[in-house]
């Protein structure tokens, strides 16, 4: 039985796995201690749970427990990594390199630093959404202290060549941060083989609770130092003060463990569902384009532009399916997505795009319903579109001289 609305917005957040909730529950009530209380068993029990969670997330990414700084989520982790490096290494230089398609938590952090005298290079991306490694290499100067390039993109699912980026950074003696929020738990990520020095992640993007996440901070070859952004009791080895969110950390750990155990099957299943959706849409609808690389892509992401259809009208037409459009996802105004624009998409195609984010709890029936519904609504909207009609009659729209009004 289908249940509505169907949730296909798993890049925005994921439903918490019931097994995660079950693991968390005792830490709200009977085991309510403060993990920093050293003098009694309430504190010891909480600390033990935190250390278990820390180990579980460390294991998922090939790190050690001591390299995990627990935070409130990926936004905070990105802030801590970028501002923390900029402040700590200010003597060495003031230049940061990032990419145009990063999450706002990275871009706006960089903008803030520009106001404080940092110089930031925003690398462009190709039509496939990938950064160019030669451009990266050329952008690095002796003033560069950090390269921050995300692992998997939250809109178009593009997986960057993280290992190669890390290798270039290592060769040049520059620290490498990656926003791993969309990749960790979904595809194999190893901070060791991927040459990562700092990596942000978040529990609620991997079937865990909201409001908890972390930052991987490398401890050797090289040992990364950071200036804390939150001062206080000196928790988390001084990197991030504040009483630990014990139930949240238990949930983060459990979510990491479940992702690790099921990863191979989940990758196969998500890509199967994604390809089923993609194949149906592309075979039934013309003037339909996939945004971002098809090969270097998260298995659960599909981002498609339906030319001659307004994204907002399409969203309204499929309002029993929860997805995001390329115009609504970054702001309340109808700005076309800056990520799609960075790929070179025109405003029209950016406005007509839909992001489908497939997750652990989606079913075959949901995918089939979605494909059929989208096909039906796109056809209906195009029947009403004079532009689409002209194109079908063979008119070259680029040659049409529109009357001014
Ligand atoms: C969701 C997301 C974030 C923000 O994570 P929060 O834990 O919600 O702060 C950062 N980066 C990417 C790529 C994301 O998808």
């Amino acid at each position: 039985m289908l249940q509505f609305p169907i949730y296909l917005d798993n890049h925005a957040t994921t439903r918490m796995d019931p097994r995660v909730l079950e693991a968390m529950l005792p830490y709200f009530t009977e085991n309510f201690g403060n993990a920093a209380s050293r003098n009694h068993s309430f504190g010891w029990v909480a600390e033990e749970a935190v250390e278990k969670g820390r180990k579980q997330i460390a294991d998922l990414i090939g790190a050690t427990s001591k390299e995990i700084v627990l935070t409130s989520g990926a936004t905070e982790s990105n802030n801590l990594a970028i501002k923390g490096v900029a402040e700590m290494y200010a003597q060495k230089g003031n230049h940061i390199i990032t990419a145009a398609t990063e999450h706002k938590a990275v871009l706006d952090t960089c903008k803030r630093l520009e106001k404080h005298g940092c110089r930031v290079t925003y690398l462009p991306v190709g039509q496939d959404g990938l950064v160019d490694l030669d451009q990266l290499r050329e952008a690095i100067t002796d003033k560069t202290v950090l390269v921050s390039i995300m692992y998997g993109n939250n809109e178009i699912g593009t997986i960057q060549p993280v290992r190669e980026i890390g290798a270039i950074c290592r060769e040049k003696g520059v620290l490498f941060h990656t926003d791993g929020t969309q990749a960790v738990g979904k595809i194999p990520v190893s901070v060791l083989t991927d040459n990562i020095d700092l990596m942000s992640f978040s529990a609620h993007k991997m079937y865990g609770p909201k409001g908890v996440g972390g930052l991987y901070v490398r401890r050797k070859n090289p040992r990364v130092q950071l200036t804390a952004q939150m001062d206080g009791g000196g928790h988390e080895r001084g990197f991030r003060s504040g009483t630990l969110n014990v139930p949240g950390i238990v949930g983060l750990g459990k979510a990491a463990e479940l992702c690790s155990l099921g990863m191979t099957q989940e990758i196969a299943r998500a890509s199967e569902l994604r390809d089923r959706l993609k194949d149906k849409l592309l075979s039934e609808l013309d003037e339909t384009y996939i945004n971002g690389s098809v090969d270097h892509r998260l298995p659960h992401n599909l981002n498609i532009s339906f030319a001659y259809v307004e994204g907002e009208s399409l969203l309204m037409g499929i309002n029993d399916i929860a997805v995001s459009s390329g115009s609504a996802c970054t702001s309340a105004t109808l700005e076309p997505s800056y990520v799609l624009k960075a790929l070179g998409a025109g405003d029209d195609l950016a406005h007509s795009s839909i992001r489908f984010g497939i997750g652990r709890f989606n079913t075959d029936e949901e995918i089939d319903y979605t494909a059929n519904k989208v096909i039906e609504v796109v056809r209906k909207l195009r029947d009403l579109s004079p532009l689409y009609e002209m194109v079908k009659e063979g008119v070259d729209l680029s040659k049409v001289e529109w009357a001014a009004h």
Side-chain angles (χ1 to χ4, degrees):
M1 267 296 283
L2 280 174
Q3 291 211 351
F4 295 100
I6 292 170
Y7 190 73
L8 278 176
D9 203 14
N10 283 282
H11 299 292
T13 194
T14 55
R15 172 193 290 244
M16 201 163 76
D17 193 298
R19 294 168 289 182
V20 172
L21 176 63
E22 198 183 333
M24 291 170 67
L25 281 175
Y27 295 92
F28 287 104
T29 50
E30 58 266 40
N31 303 330
F32 61 85
N34 183 328
S37 297
R38 289 282 145 79
N39 303 314
H40 49 70
S41 64
F42 294 92
W44 304 331
V45 167
E47 191 192 9
E48 195 177 294
V50 164
E51 291 317 311
K52 182 178 173 196
R54 197 191 299 278
K55 176 83 168 60
Q56 286 167 315
I57 183 67
D59 285 347
L60 176 66
I61 60 171
T64 61
S65 285
K66 284 185 175 170
E67 295 174 307
I68 303 295
V69 176
L70 296 161
T71 68
S72 64
T75 299
E76 185 189 335
S77 299
N78 286 339
N79 273 265
L80 174 57
I82 299 168
K83 292 174 181 168
V85 165
E87 266 189 69
M88 177 57 76
Y89 295 88
Q91 295 298 327
K92 182 189 171 212
N94 65 346
H95 180 225
I96 293 170
I97 299 172
T98 186
T101 48
E102 294 293 311
H103 191 273
K104 285 286 181 191
V106 166
L107 292 178
D108 287 355
T109 300
C110 288
K111 291 224 183 77
R112 168 84 60 188
L113 287 174
E114 282 181 296
K115 291 197 181 121
H116 296 293
C118 279
R119 197 168 73 75
V120 181
T121 301
Y122 300 89
L123 291 176
V125 297
Q127 207 185 356
D128 53 8
L130 296 168
V131 296
D132 182 287
L133 294 175
D134 291 330
Q135 276 184 344
L136 168 65
R137 197 183 277 280
E138 281 161 25
I140 297 175
T141 73
D142 56 357
K143 291 276 180 264
T144 309
V145 289
L146 182 71
V147 169
S148 178
I149 307 273
M150 74 203 311
Y151 211 116
N153 186 272
N154 46 298
E155 284 190 43
I156 52 174
T158 306
I159 300 173
Q160 297 290 354
V162 167
R163 191 168 304 180
E164 290 79 2
I165 295 171
I168 292 172
C169 291
R170 187 131 314 158
E171 176 198 319
K172 301 268 192 181
V174 172
L175 294 177
F176 174 40
H177 166 252
T178 188
D179 178 350
T181 313
Q182 293 290 340
V184 170
K186 309 291 173 52
I187 57 173
V189 170
S190 162
V191 292
L192 291 180
T193 51
D194 290 339
N195 304 313
I196 294 166
D197 297 318
L198 295 138
M199 180 167 72
S200 307
F201 49 85
S202 182
H204 77 100
K205 303 289 176 83
M206 46 190 267
Y207 313 101
K210 290 166 186 56
V212 61
L215 180 67
Y216 160 76
V217 184
R218 181 178 283 274
R219 270 174 69 85
K220 58 175 198 246
N221 309 317
R223 183 189 184 94
V224 178
Q225 292 176 286
L226 288 178
T227 302
Q229 301 299 305
M230 191 73 85
D231 297 311
H235 308 74
E236 297 297 276
R237 308 179 158 268
F239 284 126
R240 197 273 190 184
S241 289
T243 298
L244 291 177
N245 173 0
V246 179
I249 293 159
V250 169
L252 168 68
K254 186 69 186 177
E257 183 190 74
L258 293 174
C259 285
S260 176
L261 289 173
M263 188 171 292
T264 312
Q265 298 95 294
E266 285 198 62
I267 289 175
R269 200 179 129 64
S271 38
E272 188 188 309
L273 291 179
R274 191 264 314 274
D275 291 342
R276 183 183 178 118
L277 180 59
K278 176 187 72 163
D279 293 343
K280 278 198 178 215
L281 294 175
L282 292 188
S283 64
E284 296 285 325
L285 297 168
D286 60 358
E287 304 283 349
T288 297
Y289 308 98
I290 298 182
N291 294 310
S293 170
V294 175
D295 301 327
H296 304 277
R297 195 178 196 102
L298 295 169
H300 55 297
N301 173 281
L302 184 62
N303 189 309
I304 296 199
S305 288
F306 302 91
Y308 311 108
V309 168
E310 263 289 312
E312 293 301 301
S313 319
L314 178 52
L315 278 192
M316 261 188 277
I318 58 168
N319 65 2
D320 52 358
I321 304 165
V323 291
S324 285
S325 91
S327 33
C329 55
T330 50
S331 70
T333 61
L334 278 187
E335 279 288 301
S337 148
Y338 66 90
V339 173
L340 295 178
K341 294 202 74 172
L343 305 186
D347 282 11
D348 289 355
L349 273 187
H351 275 308
S352 71
S353 79
I354 299 283
R355 175 186 72 180
F356 301 93
I358 292 162
R360 180 177 291 169
F361 303 108
N362 287 122
T363 64
D364 294 24
E365 293 73 32
E366 288 178 333
I367 295 299
D368 290 342
Y369 177 89
T370 300
N372 293 333
K373 185 76 179 248
V374 170
I375 291 165
E376 178 195 319
V377 173
V378 168
R379 284 192 179 141
K380 209 178 282 176
L381 291 170
R382 282 181 176 172
D383 281 346
L384 302 170
S385 159
L387 285 184
Y388 183 68
E389 196 180 338
M390 286 168 79
V391 169
K392 289 292 106 180
E393 284 166 358
V395 179
D396 182 349
L397 290 184
S398 66
K399 302 228 164 72
V400 175
E401 288 193 27
W402 304 102
H405 55 168

